[in-house]
Amino acid sequence: MNSSDNKIELYNRVNRLKLKAGLSHTDPNAKLRIDPSTIDKADSIIEKKAEAYPVEVKRVLKVLDNNWAKAQSGDRQSVPMLMEKIYHNANQIKDLASTFNYPLMQHFGISLREFVEKIDINKGAHRTIVEAHIDVMWVVLNENVHDEGDERAQKLKSLVQKAINKYS
Amino acid sequence: MTLLHKSNYGTLRNFTVLVVEDYGFMADLISSMLREFGIGKILIAENGEDAKDLIRFNASGSSDTKPMDIVLTDWLMPEVSGVELLKWIRSSEKDNIRFLPVVLLSAYTSEKVVSVARDNGANEAIVKPVSGKMLADRILHIVNHPRAFVKTPDFFGPDRRRKDKVYESEDRRKLTSQDVKTHNEQL
């Protein structure tokens, strides 16, 4: 590597986005604004979609359940691909739960996603942990357990944590 | 409510934004929110490979395409992740691809996201869940406070030090004008 390879290069670009926004690209006081009322409208879209939350979580959980069943009964070659799908299913549930403010479901979505990263599917104990997550997520959805703080939520969290501590 | 005189504050109606998100529900939610800001064209790619195709096509200069202005990409996607897409963008030989503003959206914790996003050349990062304010703030920051791009032997992307932040510790960068080659673009 010669000395010119080590040289730092700095690119000061024309601000084309400002031009595209109809503003002067050289005037530092010319700033794009977004009308606050449109930001409120954007947030109201989340509120409007909130009613779709249980339906969508149910759909993703069914897909996850199905992928898990295939991972256990299918050929070994397809297991890594199925586990990646389950990882993304768990992440989708986490995204839904965090968007619509369901902290307990979010907790289990993250927990399952993280566990799947290190799973050894050949270990029965690891399979038990995944199953504990799936079972608990169904309970959380069907019984509409919303908050992390209430007694039922604590029991469910403790149940899964015990399985993780015991079997992982 | 603040009443804005839109003509004095610019508009997003000529902007083309690409949303890269493998989860259709979230892609739909984010694009609906962006539409409320008045963004003219919103494209959706379900995965990193489709995103690359769209970016390449829109950068080709063909008469029926508009160059992409901002890419919002999810981090966790099967096959090509958001970070891999970002690396592909920054390593392009085409200026209208490698300088593309990229916002990385992630379900990971904020410390990890900010550090990985910054070190791979993202302009901005958003930790999910998204909100209208978060999206608006990042878009405004990209348009109103663009950072110079820096190329070093192991990095290409927006300057990792923001001009609008004050650093109180000692500046570890001891550069002279001879160490830096500056490219000042003119219209």
Side-chain angles (χ1 to χ4, degrees), chain B residues 59-116:
Chain B
S60 66
S62 111
S63 58
D64 53 347
T65 63
K66 281 184 177 177
M68 218 72 83
D69 296 306
I70 298 173
V71 175
L72 273 100
T73 180
D74 188 28
W75 180 335
L76 287 181
M77 292 185 293
E79 293 162 29
V80 179
S81 72
V83 174
E84 285 163 335
L85 176 65
L86 173 60
K87 285 179 181 171
W88 176 83
I89 289 170
R90 292 290 176 252
S91 63
S92 172
E93 289 180 358
K94 288 189 164 188
D95 279 359
N96 57 1
I97 295 180
R98 69 176 176 149
F99 289 111
L100 258 177
V102 177
V103 181
L104 196 60
L105 290 107
S106 179
Y108 285 130
T109 56
S110 57
E111 297 82 11
K112 186 177 178 186
V113 172
V114 170
S115 146
V116 174

Side-chain angles (χ1 to χ4, degrees), chain A residues 43 46 99, chain B residues 29-30 33 105 126-132 134-135:
Chain A
D43 282 329
I46 298 176
T99 300
Chain B
L29 180 70
I30 292 166
M33 292 169 81
L105 290 107
I126 291 179
V127 176
K128 289 179 182 177
V130 294
S131 69
M134 238 186 245
L135 280 174

Side-chain angles (χ1 to χ4, degrees), chain A residues 7-12 14-17 20-21 32-33 35 38 41 43 49 56 87 95-96 99, chain B residues 9-11 14 23 28 36 69 108 128 132 140 143-144 146 149 151 178-181 183-185:
Chain A
K7 207 161 197 168
I8 291 168
E9 295 183 49
L10 198 62
Y11 294 81
N12 292 308
V14 169
N15 189 341
R16 288 182 172 75
L17 294 184
K20 214 165 197 181
L32 176 70
R33 307 277 170 91
D35 189 331
T38 67
K41 280 184 187 167
D43 282 329
K49 293 231 176 195
E56 184 60 15
Y87 175 89
D95 276 354
L96 283 168
T99 300
Chain B
Y9 291 109
T11 172
N14 294 321
Y23 184 23
D28 181 46
E36 288 296 340
D69 296 306
Y108 285 130
K128 289 179 182 177
L140 290 176
V143 177
N144 292 330
F149 269 65
K151 186 180 180 188
Q178 287 169 330
D179 298 321
V180 182
K181 184 180 176 187
H183 307 264
N184 291 315
E185 192 192 18

Side-chain angles (χ1 to χ4, degrees), chain A residues 103-117:
Chain A
L104 187 62
M105 188 63 98
Q106 181 184 347
H107 168 87
F108 290 125
I110 293 171
S111 179
L112 178 57
R113 186 188 75 192
E114 288 178 351
F115 187 74
V116 167
E117 273 187 312

Side-chain angles (χ1 to χ4, degrees), chain A residues 129-155:
Chain A
I129 293 170
V130 173
E131 276 154 18
H133 275 94
I134 296 172
D135 290 348
V136 162
M137 285 161 107
W138 276 116
V139 171
V140 172
L141 177 68
N142 291 334
E143 296 188 13
N144 194 24
V145 190
H146 192 273
D147 195 358
E148 267 191 299
D150 78 15
E151 199 180 327
R152 259 188 320 172
Q154 291 304 325
K155 274 186 187 166

Side-chain angles (χ1 to χ4, degrees), chain B residues 27-52:
Chain B
D28 181 46
L29 180 70
I30 292 166
S31 55
S32 300
M33 292 169 81
L34 293 174
R35 209 163 285 124
E36 288 296 340
F37 300 156
I39 290 171
K41 193 169 183 183
I42 298 161
L43 302 170
I44 295 175
E46 287 179 7
N47 58 61
E49 282 304 332
D50 286 356
K52 287 180 188 176

Side-chain angles (χ1 to χ4, degrees), chain A residues 6 14 18 21 28 31-32 42 54 57 61 80 84 97 103-104 120 126 158:
Chain A
N6 291 321
V14 169
K18 256 191 175 181
K31 304 260 190 226
L32 176 70
V57 172
L61 253 177
E84 192 187 345
L104 187 62
D120 178 351
H126 282 198
S158 153

